[in-house]
Amino acid sequence: MPEFRWDPITGRSVIIAAGRSKRPRLHGAGNGQARGEPCPFCPGNEALTPPEIWALREHHSAADKPGWTVRVVPNKYPALEDHGALTVKRDSFYESLNGLGIHEVIIESPDHEINMGALNIDQCADILRAYRARMRAVGDDPRWRYLLLYKNQGERAGATLEHVHSQLIVLPIVPQSAADELTSAKKHYDSTGHCIFCEIVQREVERGERLVSQSDKFIAFCPFAPRFSYEAWILPKNHVAAFEQSTDEDIAALAQFVRDFISRLNRALDRPPFNYVIYSKPPHQSTTRYYHWRIEILPQIARAAGFEWGSGMYMNSVAPEEAARLLRDAAL
Ligand SMILES: [Zn+2]
Ligand SMILES: [Zn+2]
């Protein structure tokens, strides 16, 4: 069973998930399935994954058979497992918690595509619908305190299978970075009466120097203090705390907006490896007034190294104003 552990000095948490070392690895520079193995995410190979939890399927097609457009399955090598009760273990100053949680994989297309930029807008909307459906479903369970939806695109960004997919990790605790963000957003709201994210959106639209693109509903910009070169955030312009609250109309507009952003990234930087993460209001928290969901897109061009690990501070060689200019000019 995996385990959460806390460093007794800094309070930093880690998940010890020894079973994950059995995962297959990509060979070469992201251009091959684990050598000679069939792709477990391609139609016809459904038996190679655990049974599906959710899918968008053609009428009358059976579960775990072809006929799907997006398919959600448990991660075969989960970082967390959903059995047993949450139990804290203490051994003097060492504290741990059994690794209770959920780890799902969202298979984003029946086609063996390796880059999200190759998918059409309807497929992107189906993927976002799958995210919304799963986040709503797990968010109803009172045991879960935090949902993290993320994508690793490319081997260098941590993908171990190349077929387009993303993952949902559901935690029984709120990670420290998320707790810090919530505390800071609340403090701003308590002292000004405004959502800090709404204020950032307004400021970035007015100034324009870090703006990449905008529509009636969304904005993409490079944040003021980005950790990664070409890091960008996508936020709804209206105040919405949870991604799961998105309407069908929002999802359709977001699909178009995200797809446009990925195309810009691919064009400007020649299909870089990247991660994206959806930050949404944690379930069962009354943070709706001051939290505002967003997607962070984090290209992995330079590796974090000694300085970053040593200081917890990031060194970024591309100013966000310059990054935004390049991404703005990469419009079709
Ligand atoms: Zn495949
Ligand atoms: Zn807001």
Side-chain angles (χ1 to χ4, degrees):
M1 182 85 181
E3 205 172 64
F4 295 96
R5 289 187 184 179
W6 281 267
D7 181 88
I9 304 166
T10 59
R12 183 181 59 216
S13 53
V14 298
I15 297 176
I16 306 292
R20 292 195 33 91
S21 60
K22 299 189 201 88
R23 286 179 298 165
R25 303 298 309 181
L26 280 174
H27 296 280
N31 59 356
Q33 198 52 53
R35 209 174 285 137
E37 297 288 316
C39 172
F41 295 166
C42 273
N45 296 341
E46 286 82 0
L48 297 176
T49 67
E52 73 192 34
I53 300 166
W54 188 94
L56 271 175
R57 296 188 149 276
E58 284 166 10
H59 247 5
H60 306 305
S61 63
D64 299 314
K65 297 282 182 228
W68 50 272
T69 49
V70 180
R71 185 167 179 257
V72 182
V73 298
N75 192 304
K76 200 169 176 179
Y77 305 94
L80 298 166
E81 291 170 19
D82 183 12
H83 56 76
L86 205 56
T87 319
V88 181
K89 263 201 297 190
R90 280 197 189 88
D91 174 7
S92 70
F93 42 66
Y94 291 132
E95 191 176 320
S96 63
L97 192 67
N98 54 330
L100 197 67
I102 296 177
H103 190 173
E104 297 179 352
V105 177
I106 296 103
I107 306 168
E108 296 175 338
S109 167
D111 299 326
H112 189 86
E113 292 293 354
I114 62 170
N115 193 295
M116 200 183 190
L119 305 179
N120 65 38
I121 289 169
D122 289 344
Q123 188 68 30
C124 291
D126 284 348
I127 295 166
L128 297 173
R129 266 182 215 113
Y131 293 174
R132 182 180 64 179
R134 292 313 300 149
M135 288 169 81
R136 281 181 181 171
V138 296
D140 282 342
D141 187 325
R143 294 176 302 162
W144 308 132
R145 295 278 172 252
Y146 200 74
L147 319 177
L148 196 73
L149 198 310
Y150 64 97
K151 178 179 180 68
N152 304 331
Q153 166 79 64
E155 190 179 11
R156 195 157 171 184
T160 53
L161 285 166
E162 64 177 19
H163 189 130
V164 282
H165 68 284
S166 34
Q167 304 184 59
L168 172 63
I169 286 202
V170 181
L171 300 167
I173 52 172
V174 178
Q176 193 57 49
S177 60
D180 291 346
E181 186 178 284
L182 288 157
T183 304
S184 172
K186 181 174 191 306
K187 201 168 137 199
H188 185 85
Y189 184 85
D190 288 344
S191 63
T192 66
H194 297 293
C195 158
I196 189 163
F197 299 96
C198 284
E199 294 201 320
I200 290 174
V201 166
Q202 201 182 344
R203 172 73 75 100
E204 296 299 336
V205 169
E206 279 165 16
R207 294 273 176 95
E209 58 182 344
R210 284 180 292 273
L211 193 65
V212 175
S213 56
Q214 59 173 323
S215 68
D216 332 336
K217 284 177 181 281
F218 298 99
I219 170 180
F221 66 97
C222 297
F224 179 70
R227 291 155 294 172
F228 303 98
S229 301
Y230 306 98
E231 172 174 342
W233 295 8
I234 292 176
L235 277 85
K237 284 182 170 172
N238 289 333
H239 181 78
V240 190
F243 169 81
E244 310 86 285
Q245 289 173 270
S246 305
T247 62
D248 287 342
E249 198 190 325
D250 298 335
I251 294 276
L254 182 62
Q256 191 158 10
F257 198 76
V258 170
R259 176 124 191 350
D260 171 76
F261 184 86
I262 305 288
S263 307
R264 286 169 190 266
L265 196 65
N266 283 343
R267 222 170 297 128
L269 301 170
D270 196 18
R271 296 156 66 94
F274 66 85
N275 302 102
Y276 69 58
V277 181
I278 298 182
Y279 292 96
S280 186
K281 180 188 94 63
H284 326 298
Q285 281 201 12
S286 52
T287 57
T288 309
R289 282 163 302 135
Y290 55 84
Y291 199 69
H292 190 132
W293 74 264
R294 71 181 184 282
I295 303 177
E296 287 190 1
I297 296 149
L298 312 169
Q300 299 301 328
I301 293 164
R303 280 184 194 271
F307 175 76
E308 283 81 2
W309 302 136
S311 65
M313 204 189 281
Y314 285 78
M315 214 185 276
N316 180 349
S317 57
V318 182
E321 296 77 18
E322 187 190 326
R325 193 177 318 119
L326 189 85
L327 292 167
R328 256 197 319 268
D329 291 348
L332 258 185

Short mmCIF file of all heavy atoms in Angstrom, two decimals, residues 105-131:
data_model
loop_
_atom_site.label_atom_id
_atom_site.label_comp_id
_atom_site.label_asym_id
_atom_site.label_seq_id
_atom_site.Cartn_x
_atom_site.Cartn_y
_atom_site.Cartn_z
N VAL A 105 -6.83 7.12 -15.33
CA VAL A 105 -6.24 7.55 -16.60
C VAL A 105 -7.37 7.88 -17.57
O VAL A 105 -8.31 7.09 -17.72
CB VAL A 105 -5.37 6.42 -17.20
CG1 VAL A 105 -4.80 6.84 -18.56
CG2 VAL A 105 -4.24 6.05 -16.26
N ILE A 106 -7.27 9.02 -18.20
CA ILE A 106 -8.25 9.42 -19.21
C ILE A 106 -7.59 9.20 -20.57
O ILE A 106 -6.63 9.92 -20.91
CB ILE A 106 -8.67 10.90 -19.03
CG1 ILE A 106 -9.38 11.09 -17.68
CG2 ILE A 106 -9.63 11.34 -20.14
CD1 ILE A 106 -8.56 11.71 -16.63
N ILE A 107 -8.06 8.23 -21.32
CA ILE A 107 -7.49 7.96 -22.65
C ILE A 107 -8.22 8.88 -23.62
O ILE A 107 -9.44 8.80 -23.77
CB ILE A 107 -7.64 6.46 -23.03
CG1 ILE A 107 -7.05 5.59 -21.91
CG2 ILE A 107 -6.97 6.18 -24.38
CD1 ILE A 107 -7.39 4.11 -22.01
N GLU A 108 -7.46 9.79 -24.23
CA GLU A 108 -8.08 10.95 -24.85
C GLU A 108 -8.58 10.76 -26.27
O GLU A 108 -9.29 11.61 -26.80
CB GLU A 108 -7.09 12.13 -24.82
CG GLU A 108 -6.76 12.55 -23.40
CD GLU A 108 -5.70 13.62 -23.31
OE1 GLU A 108 -4.91 13.76 -24.26
OE2 GLU A 108 -5.64 14.30 -22.28
N SER A 109 -8.17 9.66 -26.90
CA SER A 109 -8.60 9.45 -28.28
C SER A 109 -8.46 7.96 -28.61
O SER A 109 -7.53 7.32 -28.12
CB SER A 109 -7.71 10.26 -29.22
OG SER A 109 -7.91 9.84 -30.55
N PRO A 110 -9.35 7.43 -29.47
CA PRO A 110 -9.14 6.04 -29.90
C PRO A 110 -7.98 5.96 -30.90
O PRO A 110 -7.43 4.89 -31.11
CB PRO A 110 -10.47 5.67 -30.56
CG PRO A 110 -11.15 6.96 -30.88
CD PRO A 110 -10.61 8.01 -29.96
N ASP A 111 -7.62 7.09 -31.51
CA ASP A 111 -6.49 7.07 -32.46
C ASP A 111 -5.18 7.13 -31.69
O ASP A 111 -5.08 7.83 -30.69
CB ASP A 111 -6.57 8.28 -33.41
CG ASP A 111 -7.85 8.25 -34.23
OD1 ASP A 111 -8.30 7.14 -34.56
OD2 ASP A 111 -8.41 9.33 -34.49
N HIS A 112 -4.19 6.43 -32.20
CA HIS A 112 -2.90 6.41 -31.52
C HIS A 112 -2.14 7.70 -31.84
O HIS A 112 -1.12 7.70 -32.52
CB HIS A 112 -2.10 5.16 -31.93
CG HIS A 112 -0.86 4.98 -31.11
ND1 HIS A 112 -0.85 4.32 -29.91
CD2 HIS A 112 0.41 5.40 -31.30
CE1 HIS A 112 0.38 4.35 -29.41
NE2 HIS A 112 1.17 5.00 -30.24
N GLU A 113 -2.69 8.81 -31.36
CA GLU A 113 -2.03 10.10 -31.55
C GLU A 113 -1.07 10.29 -30.39
O GLU A 113 -1.34 9.85 -29.27
CB GLU A 113 -3.05 11.25 -31.53
CG GLU A 113 -4.00 11.28 -32.71
CD GLU A 113 -3.31 11.60 -34.04
OE1 GLU A 113 -2.09 11.91 -34.02
OE2 GLU A 113 -3.98 11.51 -35.07
N ILE A 114 0.03 11.02 -30.66
CA ILE A 114 0.97 11.24 -29.56
C ILE A 114 1.01 12.70 -29.13
O ILE A 114 1.65 13.04 -28.17
CB ILE A 114 2.39 10.71 -29.89
CG1 ILE A 114 2.96 11.45 -31.10
CG2 ILE A 114 2.36 9.21 -30.15
CD1 ILE A 114 4.43 11.13 -31.31
N ASN A 115 0.27 13.57 -29.85
CA ASN A 115 0.26 14.98 -29.45
C ASN A 115 -1.16 15.50 -29.47
O ASN A 115 -1.89 15.31 -30.45
CB ASN A 115 1.13 15.81 -30.40
CG ASN A 115 1.40 17.20 -29.85
OD1 ASN A 115 0.49 18.00 -29.69
ND2 ASN A 115 2.65 17.47 -29.53
N MET A 116 -1.54 16.17 -28.39
CA MET A 116 -2.90 16.69 -28.27
C MET A 116 -3.23 17.66 -29.41
O MET A 116 -4.38 17.80 -29.79
CB MET A 116 -3.05 17.39 -26.93
CG MET A 116 -4.49 17.52 -26.53
SD MET A 116 -4.64 18.44 -25.01
CE MET A 116 -6.38 18.14 -24.70
N GLY A 117 -2.19 18.32 -29.95
CA GLY A 117 -2.40 19.26 -31.05
C GLY A 117 -2.97 18.59 -32.29
O GLY A 117 -3.51 19.25 -33.16
N ALA A 118 -2.87 17.24 -32.38
CA ALA A 118 -3.37 16.54 -33.56
C ALA A 118 -4.87 16.26 -33.45
O ALA A 118 -5.49 15.80 -34.41
CB ALA A 118 -2.60 15.23 -33.73
N LEU A 119 -5.46 16.49 -32.29
CA LEU A 119 -6.88 16.15 -32.10
C LEU A 119 -7.76 17.31 -32.57
O LEU A 119 -7.39 18.47 -32.43
CB LEU A 119 -7.16 15.86 -30.62
CG LEU A 119 -6.28 14.78 -29.99
CD1 LEU A 119 -6.64 14.62 -28.52
CD2 LEU A 119 -6.41 13.46 -30.72
N ASN A 120 -8.96 16.98 -33.08
CA ASN A 120 -9.83 18.07 -33.52
C ASN A 120 -10.61 18.64 -32.33
O ASN A 120 -10.57 18.10 -31.22
CB ASN A 120 -10.75 17.62 -34.67
CG ASN A 120 -11.72 16.53 -34.23
OD1 ASN A 120 -12.23 16.57 -33.11
ND2 ASN A 120 -11.97 15.58 -35.11
N ILE A 121 -11.31 19.74 -32.58
CA ILE A 121 -11.96 20.47 -31.47
C ILE A 121 -13.04 19.61 -30.79
O ILE A 121 -13.18 19.63 -29.57
CB ILE A 121 -12.52 21.81 -31.99
CG1 ILE A 121 -11.34 22.73 -32.28
CG2 ILE A 121 -13.45 22.46 -30.98
CD1 ILE A 121 -11.68 23.99 -33.02
N ASP A 122 -13.78 18.84 -31.58
CA ASP A 122 -14.83 17.99 -30.98
C ASP A 122 -14.21 16.98 -30.02
O ASP A 122 -14.74 16.71 -28.95
CB ASP A 122 -15.61 17.23 -32.05
CG ASP A 122 -16.49 18.18 -32.85
OD1 ASP A 122 -16.72 19.32 -32.37
OD2 ASP A 122 -16.92 17.80 -33.95
N GLN A 123 -13.07 16.42 -30.42
CA GLN A 123 -12.40 15.44 -29.56
C GLN A 123 -11.90 16.14 -28.28
O GLN A 123 -12.03 15.59 -27.19
CB GLN A 123 -11.23 14.79 -30.33
CG GLN A 123 -10.59 13.63 -29.61
CD GLN A 123 -11.50 12.41 -29.51
OE1 GLN A 123 -12.34 12.18 -30.37
NE2 GLN A 123 -11.34 11.63 -28.44
N CYS A 124 -11.36 17.35 -28.43
CA CYS A 124 -10.91 18.10 -27.24
C CYS A 124 -12.09 18.37 -26.31
O CYS A 124 -11.95 18.27 -25.08
CB CYS A 124 -10.24 19.41 -27.64
SG CYS A 124 -8.67 19.15 -28.47
N ALA A 125 -13.25 18.69 -26.86
CA ALA A 125 -14.43 18.95 -26.02
C ALA A 125 -14.84 17.66 -25.30
O ALA A 125 -15.21 17.70 -24.12
CB ALA A 125 -15.58 19.48 -26.88
N ASP A 126 -14.75 16.53 -25.98
CA ASP A 126 -15.09 15.25 -25.33
C ASP A 126 -14.13 14.98 -24.16
O ASP A 126 -14.53 14.47 -23.13
CB ASP A 126 -15.01 14.09 -26.34
CG ASP A 126 -16.23 14.08 -27.27
OD1 ASP A 126 -17.20 14.80 -26.99
OD2 ASP A 126 -16.18 13.33 -28.28
N ILE A 127 -12.87 15.31 -24.35
CA ILE A 127 -11.88 15.10 -23.28
C ILE A 127 -12.25 15.97 -22.06
O ILE A 127 -12.27 15.49 -20.92
CB ILE A 127 -10.46 15.47 -23.78
CG1 ILE A 127 -10.03 14.52 -24.90
CG2 ILE A 127 -9.45 15.46 -22.64
CD1 ILE A 127 -8.81 15.01 -25.68
N LEU A 128 -12.57 17.23 -22.33
CA LEU A 128 -12.93 18.14 -21.22
C LEU A 128 -14.22 17.67 -20.54
O LEU A 128 -14.37 17.79 -19.32
CB LEU A 128 -13.09 19.57 -21.73
CG LEU A 128 -11.81 20.20 -22.32
CD1 LEU A 128 -12.12 21.55 -22.94
CD2 LEU A 128 -10.73 20.36 -21.24
N ARG A 129 -15.14 17.10 -21.32
CA ARG A 129 -16.38 16.53 -20.73
C ARG A 129 -16.04 15.36 -19.81
O ARG A 129 -16.64 15.20 -18.75
CB ARG A 129 -17.32 16.03 -21.83
CG ARG A 129 -18.30 17.06 -22.20
CD ARG A 129 -19.29 16.57 -23.25
NE ARG A 129 -19.54 17.73 -24.06
CZ ARG A 129 -19.19 17.89 -25.34
NH1 ARG A 129 -18.65 16.91 -26.00
NH2 ARG A 129 -19.42 19.02 -25.95
N ALA A 130 -15.07 14.57 -20.23
CA ALA A 130 -14.66 13.42 -19.39
C ALA A 130 -14.06 13.95 -18.08
O ALA A 130 -14.36 13.44 -17.00
CB ALA A 130 -13.63 12.57 -20.14
N TYR A 131 -13.21 14.99 -18.16
CA TYR A 131 -12.63 15.57 -16.95
C TYR A 131 -13.75 16.01 -16.01
O TYR A 131 -13.74 15.73 -14.81
CB TYR A 131 -11.80 16.82 -17.27
CG TYR A 131 -10.53 16.64 -18.06
CD1 TYR A 131 -9.81 17.76 -18.49
CD2 TYR A 131 -10.03 15.39 -18.39
CE1 TYR A 131 -8.64 17.64 -19.20
CE2 TYR A 131 -8.85 15.27 -19.11
CZ TYR A 131 -8.16 16.39 -19.52
OH TYR A 131 -7.00 16.29 -20.23
#
